[in-house]
């Protein structure tokens, strides 16, 4: 850390990178007051802010004490806030926000930026990979349907359900970003934030509370940078071994249907690792489609004999996975128990508070109450783990309303973003306490700072069953790469997408292309979508069954390679799916490429994400690459390859230690023929 | 004016009405800096502001000098701005903004508000009549197509043409409003402004420059209040007498077509005052529809013999009207003349600047250059008045781009809003200099402060050919009433609407209902719309011809009554179309009613504005009312009457001096049968 006075201000830098550059004419800190309104409708938020004051803090006094530099900012002769800059024991620059005047509830801080810099991260971002040129409100919510105001799907979703969303809406925001200049910035806060990357010479971070601190560090390489970040947010264990043994099939409809579909899949040569039955606890039908009975226990009416079949399946090598989320269905047994014990969030006067989830209402289990957490962990342990589930979707986490009252006395406005982390922690600890961390898998869509150490597998949320850039298959790639840079090394998505509304129906081609992509991610899982009957499914026809069989065989063939990448993530925080610049830092174009990724160190994957396309134009960073289907060698640069359905554009490095394995991908795919 | 100190601030009131109530905890003045970007596409603006600072000015010093009170606001020990409050010779309260620190370019001032107060005005507002609960950006522009983000038409217009607009977009904004508490406020500025009426205890006026001053006055009655406002913005002459003699038919297609259509109209019994041929100077076809040749002179190819026919028609009692706007078509004669004389706005380096009007480009005649104004007046006098035109649409005025350079050296950002006034002035003076103010009529859609004294007839702009609340027939009523309160007493609209896009087509019912409404406005004029072939026209069938004949007969029957109302406007500023509260101030409901109006003092008009409706539910303020069709008497309150096509819901006051005239409306309508 280096602090220097300038004519009217100061320059704070760290490892030769300027962080803050303050002067009278370009102040770096603004404080003020605002009144925000949060209008939530089924997880979609209409958030408005009325900024009452925004004051540039120009005057400052320095109080250094050797280790730390205290910068006291004054305005009208009164101390407004103190920035305290120091190096942490790990060698990061930490800038604390202290002594803020009590009335202040808005902070804007400007960080030095370079004109050509690119920015990544901010959680799981779906529309943009490089975030420069846009601002990103950071608030966990439904990500929206369509996510682009110029799309007709979005317009319909907005008008009918207030649910269209926009480019920045995500289940998993995080006030942390990575720069192409090889530094990262993290703002420690759970308040609403908005990171603005539209300016040429500064990045402006806005926070609707006084943040705790800002962390900055830079490294000589991107692998070192992601390792640094990984150390910050927590390490991830390896995935259970069985996940690598095939696809997890999303099936609904009861024991008989599940067994039939599994039989059909295996007969077609599909490698099956698990059956994921989200309706294991029963269903309800709403206008949206098939919804679940949110009372987290086995439903023997829909799943007769599951208590014994679950073990029989496991003996056959097929794990059974279920579903849970942090809400309990009004008037059902778990709700009643929680309500009677005082484990639910309430209105300010202590009276009942339920949340509208779309034609049904639920109580919010209050995770700020340790006793409620223990109780919910007990539900997971007893009803799910002891019952025999080997995994589940831990859905939601984004719906904490800002006007409910919580046990810890904190504002729900401040707790809202932290809810996904609390929810992940409960799942993580329930599994850990059951001693099953190595064998049970849960996956989440919601996230925020700190999710990394508790949730080891993200899934990309509820994409549309289409090819849309903002909310269809391609958006998943941005989600994997952005979240991967922040310590979330394991990512996957619903094969075929989920949201089936406003005339959208999943067709065969989309399902097949999505399966091709999923074979080159750490985990394969299908989903029927919210309106299964409208969608092409894995077993709709023989061609699809056969296609999925081929893709699962590629996936299992790559098991040693994928396991090694997953292990590398566990050890170093290197994500399994990586942007090209991770290993080609000197190549300018590698910072711009979207819809391609490195899968581990040695595979380059360019999914076909356009309907009807049978070729794929893609960029190869400078290296020796071999196309897995033709065996042709490439030197890097823009190329176009044939990519008929079943043969996604994938390349391996000629210098890889795994060339023998890669050369046999084609054989593995054809194994069953 | 009364100025009192309070514990930490002051209270400024005028005629017992509190205007400013300043205290340390509730400051009334905020200043700051912002960077705005204006992105114009064919008259639609995408305007963004980045507010760098917004400082509450809490500290002040008073410097009274008997007449005026000078309030100096300080911040960080430095004078920021001085408010100078004084009473004008007319008895209004004037608050000047003086001595502003040079760097400031944003001002927010809060005016005292009462919780139940209603607000009207802000120019010609089309979606809302009572503006409370919303904010209103004030910037003259295209009003948008659909004007509601929840409408499919708007979505299409946005996606295809960036043209959808929103509730506040209008050709005629004005930073002036009227309160139900019987006061008005006017902010003297031409900069971008935004008036925010969303707060319960204050109205916040935002201005992107230091305004000149704020005017405030209150009166004991609404008639006194509109008279006060009328005195401020300028008086209007009476309309030419011939306007009252029938409909002005919007016709296109050349001399022969015009004569044929006029013949057909007269044969059907339609009272015709004029033929309005906007294509008198030629046409061009674009993807939008029929557009005009913007080179303002008679086109003898399309209108052969018009130079003689125009006089023949006049002898028959039919005036011929044309069209002009403030732009000249690139490379056509007027453009070349203007360019060679230096009469066009330029780029900063003096080079050519043309504006995209949709598949063609035009030069902007620089009205800040007195020589250019004289030249353009000359064009109007020579090419239009001397040629024999007795009126025209003076279209546009909203497209001054913010990045062009003007002769007076002022920023186009500041001149933009003033352009409609400058444009009106040119038309007004050309007519005045020709000595024809009593005989020639021009009408405009664009407006801003000061338009009142130059343009004597507004038209409501380009409504959609539908029933839409935000942009169809009903929106015209709000436009008439809001602009009428600010000194624009004469208003009318295109019978049948104009914008025919995105699948919209005008049907017979809409045309008929619109004609019914127009019979109870100061002027009747039809328009074929931008795609005439898609629209039902006045002569499409016999029923429509007959309907229009009836409506024009009602209109001409009412000539003495309408003329008296027009004269009253000229003398006192009392608008011809009036909100119910104008004469029923004690009746709370009269402040809430939309889509009804008083036409003069004694007629109450409730147009049927819903497709398929054959009854009209409406509110009658407390009085004795007689339904013009049934003769039934009503006491006031909510009533529902039969309103089949041809019999709009209209009532007259039993105590009127004109009951004999009104009682014969029905006979007049049936006169031709």
């Amino acid at each position: 850390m280096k602090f220097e006075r300038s004519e009217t201000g100061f320059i704070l830098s760290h490892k030769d990178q300027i962080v803050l550059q303050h002067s009278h004419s370009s102040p770096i800190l603004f404080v003020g007051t605002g009144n925000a309104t949060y209008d939530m409708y089924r997880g979609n938020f209409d958030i408005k802010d009325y900024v009452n004051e925004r004051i540039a803090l120009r005057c400052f006094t320095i109080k250094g004490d050797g280790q730390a530099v205290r910068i006291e900012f004054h305005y009208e002769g009164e101390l407004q806030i103190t920035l305290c800059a120091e190096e942490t024991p790990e060698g990061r620059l930490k800038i604390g926000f202290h002594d803020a005047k009590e009335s202040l509830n808005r902070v804007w801080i400007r960080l030095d930026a370079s004109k050509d810099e690119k920015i990544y991260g901010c959680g799981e971002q779906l529309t943009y990979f490089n975030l420069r040129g846009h601002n990103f409100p950071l608030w966990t919510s439904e990500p929206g349907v369509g996510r682009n105001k110029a799309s007709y799907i979005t317009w319909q979703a907005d008008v009918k359900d207030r649910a269209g969303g926009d480019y920045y809406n995500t289940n998993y925001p995080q006030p942390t970003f990575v720069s192409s200049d090889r530094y990262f910035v993290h703002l420690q806060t759970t308040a609403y934030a908005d990171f603005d990357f539209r300016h040429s010479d500064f990045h402006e971070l806005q926070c609707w509370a006084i943040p705790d601190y800002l962390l900055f560090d830079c490294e000589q390489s991107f692998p070192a940078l992601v390792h640094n970040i990984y150390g910050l947010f927590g390490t991830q264990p390896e995935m259970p071994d069985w996940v690598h043994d095939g696809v997890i099939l999303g099936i609904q409809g009861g024991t008989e249907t599940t067994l039939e579909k599994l039989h059909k899949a295996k007969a077609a040569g599909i490698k099956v690792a698990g059956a994921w039955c989200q309706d294991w606890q029963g269903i309800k039908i709403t206008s949206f489609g098939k919804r679940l009975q949110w009372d987290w226990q086995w439903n023997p009416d829909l799943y007769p004999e599951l208590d014994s079949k679950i073990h029989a399946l496991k003996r056959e090598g097929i794990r059974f996975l279920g579903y849970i989320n942090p809400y309990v269905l009004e008037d059902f047994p778990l709700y009643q128990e929680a309500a009677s014990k005082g484990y639910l969030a309430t209105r300010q006067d202590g009276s009942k508070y339920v949340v509208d989830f779309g034609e049904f209402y639920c109580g919010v289990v209050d995770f700020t109450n340790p006793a409620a957490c223990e109780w919910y962990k007990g539900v997971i342990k007893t009803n799910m783990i002891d019952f025999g589930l080997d995994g589940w979707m831990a859905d939601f986490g984004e719906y904490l309303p800002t006007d409910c009252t919580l046990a810890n006395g904190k504002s729900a406005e401040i707790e809202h973003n932290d809810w996904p982390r609390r929810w992940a922690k409960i799942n993580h600890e329930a599994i850990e306490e059951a001693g099953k961390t190595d064998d049970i898998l849960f996956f989440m869509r919601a996230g925020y700072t700190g999710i990394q150490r508790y949730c080891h597998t993200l899934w990309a949320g509820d994409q549309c069953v289409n090819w849309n850039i903002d909310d269809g298959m391609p958006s998943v790639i941005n989600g994997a790469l952005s979240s991967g840079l922040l310590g979330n090394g394991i990512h996957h998505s619903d094969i075929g997408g989920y949201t089936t509304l406003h005339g959208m129906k999943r067709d065969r081609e989309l399902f097949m292309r999505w399966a091709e992509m999923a074979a080159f991610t750490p985990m394969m899982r299908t989903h029927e979508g919210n309106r299964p009957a409208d969608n092409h499914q894995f077993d709709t026809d023989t061609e699809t069954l056969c296609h999925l069989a081929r893709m699962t065989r590629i996936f299992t063939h790559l098991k040693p390679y994928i396991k090694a990448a997953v292990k590398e993530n566990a050890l170093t925080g290197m994500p399994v799916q990586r942007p090209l610049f991770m290993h080609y830092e000197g190549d300018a174009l590698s910072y711009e490429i979207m819809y391609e990724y490195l899968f581990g160190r040695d595979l380059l994957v360019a999914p076909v994400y356009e309907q009807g396309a049978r070729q794929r134009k893609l960029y190869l960073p400078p290296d020796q690459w071999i196309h897995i289907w033709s065996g042709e060698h490439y030197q890097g640069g823009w190329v176009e390859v044939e990519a008929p359905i079943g043969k996604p554009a994938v390349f391996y490095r000629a210098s890889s230690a795994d060339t023998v394995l890669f050369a046999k991908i084609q054989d593995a795919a054809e194994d069953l023929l």
Side-chain angles (χ1 to χ4, degrees), chain A residues 2 63 65 143 154 234 270 277 317 326 358 398 408 443 449-450 454 460 465 472 550 555 598 668:
Chain A
K2 191 168 151 195
K63 299 266 171 68
D65 66 353
T154 302
I270 295 172
C277 300
E398 314 86 352
N408 70 350
F443 41 98
T449 307
Y454 299 121
V465 292
R550 293 180 73 243
F555 179 70
L598 296 168

Side-chain angles (χ1 to χ4, degrees), chain A residues 21 81 87 196 215 225 234 283 299 425-426 459 597 662:
Chain A
Q21 191 159 195
I81 195 165
E87 232 174 272
D196 185 350
L215 275 183
L225 193 67
I283 60 160
N299 183 320
K425 185 166 183 276
I426 281 164
W459 108 90
Y597 57 92
F662 299 143

Side-chain angles (χ1 to χ4, degrees), chain A residues 227-344:
Chain A
H227 182 63
N228 188 328
I229 294 170
Y230 187 61
L232 186 59
F233 298 120
T235 58
Q236 303 194 313
E238 296 178 49
M239 300 168 86
D241 182 78
W242 57 264
V243 175
H244 303 292
D245 291 335
V247 65
I248 297 167
L249 290 171
I251 300 175
Q252 296 183 83
T255 309
E256 200 179 331
T257 305
T258 303
L259 295 177
E260 268 171 29
K261 285 189 179 255
L262 287 172
H263 179 75
K264 205 168 163 187
K266 296 200 87 166
I270 295 172
K271 297 279 191 183
V272 182
W276 168 55
C277 300
Q278 58 170 9
D279 60 348
W280 72 288
Q281 84 297 327
I283 60 160
K284 47 172 54 240
I285 300 294
T286 72
S287 65
F288 179 81
K290 226 181 232 190
R291 298 292 298 263
L292 307 173
Q293 199 79 296
W294 297 10
D295 186 57
W296 314 114
Q297 40 205 322
W298 170 40
N299 183 320
D301 295 334
L302 190 60
Y303 280 88
E305 298 179 60
L306 182 59
D307 53 340
S308 59
K309 298 287 184 202
I310 201 168
H311 302 292
L313 280 171
K314 192 166 179 170
R315 285 191 295 273
E316 275 181 53
I318 297 179
R319 303 298 181 115
F320 190 90
L321 293 84
Y323 174 99
I324 189 171
N325 70 43
Y327 314 102
V328 286
L329 187 62
E330 190 180 15
D331 298 335
F332 273 64
L334 287 177
Y335 176 93
Q336 283 166 336
E337 187 183 347
S340 72
K341 289 176 169 160
Y343 292 165
L344 299 177

Side-chain angles (χ1 to χ4, degrees), chain A residues 377-425:
Chain A
K377 278 197 260 176
V379 169
I380 292 174
K381 284 190 271 190
T382 307
N383 296 4
M384 300 177 80
I385 298 176
D386 292 351
F387 179 71
L389 296 184
D390 284 327
W392 53 83
M393 175 181 279
D395 205 6
F396 289 92
E398 314 86 352
Y399 281 50
L400 184 74
T402 52
D403 60 348
C404 68
T405 295
L406 299 168
N408 70 350
K410 278 204 195 172
S411 155
E413 208 175 299
I414 296 297
E415 284 289 340
H416 174 89
N417 273 338
D418 198 30
W419 220 247
R421 185 195 62 81
R422 291 183 180 277
W423 173 222
K425 185 166 183 276

Side-chain angles (χ1 to χ4, degrees), chain A residues 546-558:
Chain A
C546 177
H547 179 83
L548 187 59
R550 293 180 73 243
M551 292 306 127
T552 57
R553 276 158 193 269
I554 291 174
F555 179 70
T556 54
H557 173 74
L558 289 173

Side-chain angles (χ1 to χ4, degrees), chain A residues 17-29:
Chain A
Q17 177 87 37
I18 294 175
V19 183
L20 303 178
Q21 191 159 195
H22 179 80
S23 70
H24 197 269
S25 60
S26 289
I28 51 102
L29 194 61

